[in-house]
């Protein structure tokens, strides 16, 4: 009886959730036609890029529990692959984006391999080192990346002869990419694979003893995350049309990690809100002039002091539920 | 309930973002009055490069004050719209987008680094707003479009001047080159070598280092020592030059050093002391210059801020001056300002006599300096 009621309750919230999501989608489709200034559209597009970056890192750090400080590396690989392929071989955005994402995924796979042996701070250092290696390769491999000269004049994306290099074009492109990322990550997290990720995060040893191939899943997490980061990088390259190694420093990794932590580790809506806040805050605070970065830091500190689990930190409740479940099981076992 | 709360939170945040963004957009548009002409200054005011942004801010403000005190442009006062780009390419494009959608802004003085300039360029070009960078030296910058201007000699102009200085004045027949691995260092090196070889010199060594990472230059220097060059040419900034000069002294090598205008900074003397004695370098701006344009600027700047202007302040001052010159002829019309700016010839600025070539790159005269008795001194 009780369980049926619970189910009913769950259904009604699920339904209202669906309605809200549908309304949100309908509203967001209207955005480019609301006569907003180009600046607002640009901010929304930047938020979109960081939603993809944040969500992909969240998969590794928030769900699989592996601290990565090198996410900007995959972002850079995607951006550079896309830029080089489109400027030298004149490939279209859809091919370069796919190639960029796949190459980033390949490097994610390679970086995932050492994680077999490392965890915690040691893993963080490896990813940090990887990020620096990518940046320095981009800086010094002149023949391929033009080094510090950067790659200017990356063409705007187009599809079937339709130029997407307009505000509306870019908006819908990033909209589709971000939506695809959200849906994919949501599906992954709520699947068997996602459960395995969470199990690894909560207790790797226990997960292993339950028969989860932790190695495989950790590498998988890195590969998927790198794929989406590479996709974001491709879009960024075609959007800003100029990239150089300075755009992909360690600071970029920290920015992405801040989005994940501020929004809440292991929370998809949290990451979206985190991206919204961290990307737009510097622009909101512009009126403070010299003090704006101080305020930006202060906002972050206050946020983390009042809500250390992040704005939508879901991990804690989940742990609680898990604990409850496990205690029930152990009680039963006692009987 | 918790779920609802979070969803409401999302919606509210969205709402705030939208209203907030449009509000700030309107703010900037409402503040400019009819009788004013708005020129934007975009530069890093926070972050690692804030010192350069500060120089831009002060110097452009000084120029505007001077013009406003003399009646402004056709009786209209000039107003500066100051924008911080943190020297970050993403922020720079945001700033650019903001400025082009602000109808009152007729021209932009900025940005500081080539990265920021290049990232923002497509936005300015698309909207047709002049982006006049005082300091971007990247060869591709002005190729981005017809609205990009720069007020610094590219290495294509500076290279031959320095090559002439090294080969003819310093009698360098065998030259060793050390350069920093960034956009500026590579173009500087390439242009110098091209010009020096044309003058009959031989390049005996080419060594690269990574900015703010390489601290030990002794391997590079011992390698160069084997070639016994007449002159060592550095495409580097003052901090590394100080280190190279000191390490050369410690190793007991005594080769004359030639540098670029980037070395003209008092910090070099403080950092390296007598190790940098005898370095030759070209410059656009020298405070010891007896030219009345320069002395007037110096006294005005010192009176206003109680400090001596550096070359960044000087070039920003000229950039604003030229922008105002163009607006005076064109009126507050973005496209007309571009036309007039491109036509400017022999502008008598504090950084030399300035003319644009057909690529909207400046060609400026340069002076040669030498470090003597712990001071920069003008040579002849």
């Amino acid at each position: 009886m009780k369980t049926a009621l619970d189910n009913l309750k769950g259904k009604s919230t699920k339904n209202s959730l669906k309605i809200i999501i549908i309304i949100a989608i309908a509203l967001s489709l209207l955005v480019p036609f609301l006569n907003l200034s180009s600046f607002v559209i640009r901010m929304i597009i930047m938020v979109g890029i960081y939603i993809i970056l944040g969500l992909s890192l969240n998969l590794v750090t928030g769900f699989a529990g592996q601290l990565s400080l090198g996410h900007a590396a995959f972002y850079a690989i995607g951006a550079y692959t896309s830029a080089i392929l489109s400027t030298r071989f004149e490939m279209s955005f859809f091919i370069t984006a796919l190639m960029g994402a796949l190459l980033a995924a390949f490097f994610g796979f390679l970086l995932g391999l050492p994680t077999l042996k490392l965890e915690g701070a040691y893993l963080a250092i490896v990813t940090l080192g990887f990020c620096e290696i990518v940046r320095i390769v981009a800086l010094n491999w002149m023949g391929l990346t033009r080094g510090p000269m950067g790659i200017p004049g990356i063409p705007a994306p187009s599809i079937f002869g339709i130029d997407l290099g307009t505000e509306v074009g870019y908006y819908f492109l990033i909209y589709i990419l971000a939506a695809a990322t959200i849906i994919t990550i949501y599906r992954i997290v709520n699947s068997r694979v996602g459960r395995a990720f969470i199990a690894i995060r909560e207790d790797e040893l226990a997960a292993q003893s339950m028969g989860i191939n932790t190695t495989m899943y950790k590498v998988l997490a890195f590969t998927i995350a790198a794929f989406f980061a590479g996709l974001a990088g491709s879009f960024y390259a075609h959007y800003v049309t100029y990239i150089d190694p300075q755009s992909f420093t360690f600071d970029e990794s920290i920015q992405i990690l801040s989005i994940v932590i501020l929004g809440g580790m292991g929370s998809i809506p949290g990451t979206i809100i985190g991206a919204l806040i961290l990307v737009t805050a510097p622009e909101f605070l512009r009126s403070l002039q010299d003090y704006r970065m101080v305020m930006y830091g202060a906002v972050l500190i206050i946020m983390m002091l009042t809500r250390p689990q992040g704005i939508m930190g879901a991990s804690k409740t989940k742990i609680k539920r898990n604990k409850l479940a496990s205690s029930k099981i152990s009680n039963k076992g006692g009987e | 309930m918790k779920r609802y709360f979070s969803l409401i939170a999302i919606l509210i945040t969205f709402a705030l973002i939208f209203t907030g963004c449009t509000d700030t957009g309107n703010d900037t548009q409402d503040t400019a009055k009819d009788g004013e002409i708005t020129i934007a200054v975009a530069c890093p005011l926070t972050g690692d490069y804030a010192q350069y942004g500060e120089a831009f801010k002060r110097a452009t403000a000084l120029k505007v004050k001077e013009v406003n005190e003399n009646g402004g442009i056709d009786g209209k006062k000039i107003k500066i719209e100051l924008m911080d780009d943190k020297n970050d390419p993403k922020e720079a494009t945001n700033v650019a987008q903001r400025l082009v959608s602000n109808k009152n802004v007729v021209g932009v003085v900025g940005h500081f680094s080539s990265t920021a300039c290049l990232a923002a360029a497509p936005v300015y070009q698309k909207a047709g707003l002049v982006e006049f960078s005082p300091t971007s030296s990247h060869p591709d910058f002005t190729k981005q479009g017809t609205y990009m201007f720069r007020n610094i000699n590219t290495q294509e102009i500076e290279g031959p001047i320095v090559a002439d200085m090294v080969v003819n004045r310093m009698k360098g027949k065998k030259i060793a080159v050390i350069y920093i691995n960034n956009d500026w260092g590579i173009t500087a090196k390439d242009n110098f070598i091209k010009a020096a070889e044309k003058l009959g010199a031989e390049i005996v060594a080419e060594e690269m280092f990574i900015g703010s990472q390489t601290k030990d230059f002794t391997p590079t220097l011992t390698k160069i020592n084997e070639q016994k060059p007449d002159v060592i040419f550095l495409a580097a900034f003052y901090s590394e030059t100080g280190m190279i000069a000191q390490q050369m002294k410690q190793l007991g090598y005594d080769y004359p050093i030639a540098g670029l205008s980037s070395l003209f900074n008092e910090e070099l003397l403080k950092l390296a002391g007598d190790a940098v004695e005898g370095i030759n370098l070209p410059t656009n701006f020298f405070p010891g210059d007896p030219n009345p344009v320069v002395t007037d600027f110096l006294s005005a700047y010192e009176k206003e801020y109680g400090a001596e202007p550096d070359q960044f302040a000087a070039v920003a001052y000229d950039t604003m001056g030229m922008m105002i010159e163009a607006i005076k002829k064109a009126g507050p019309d973005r496209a007309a300002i571009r036309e007039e700016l491109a036509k400017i010839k022999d502008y008598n600025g504090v950084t030399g006599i300035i003319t644009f070539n057909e690529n909207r790159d400046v060609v400026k005269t340069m002076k040669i300096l030498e470090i003597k008795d712990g001071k920069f001194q003008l040579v002849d």
Side-chain angles (χ1 to χ4, degrees), chain A residues 42-43 46-48 50-51 255 259 274-284 296, chain B residues 91 94:
Chain A
R42 174 170 285 271
M43 290 313 294
M46 289 312 290
V47 170
Y50 279 92
I51 285 175
Q255 166 96 344
I259 286 171
L276 243 177
I277 294 176
L278 284 189
V279 173
T280 53
E283 293 299 319
F284 278 118
Y296 180 81
Chain B
E91 290 258 337
N94 290 346

Side-chain angles (χ1 to χ4, degrees), chain B residues 101-121:
Chain B
S101 37
N102 183 344
K103 291 283 168 273
N104 291 310
V105 174
V106 295
V108 179
V109 173
H111 298 233
F112 170 69
S113 77
S114 294
T115 305
C117 286
L118 275 164

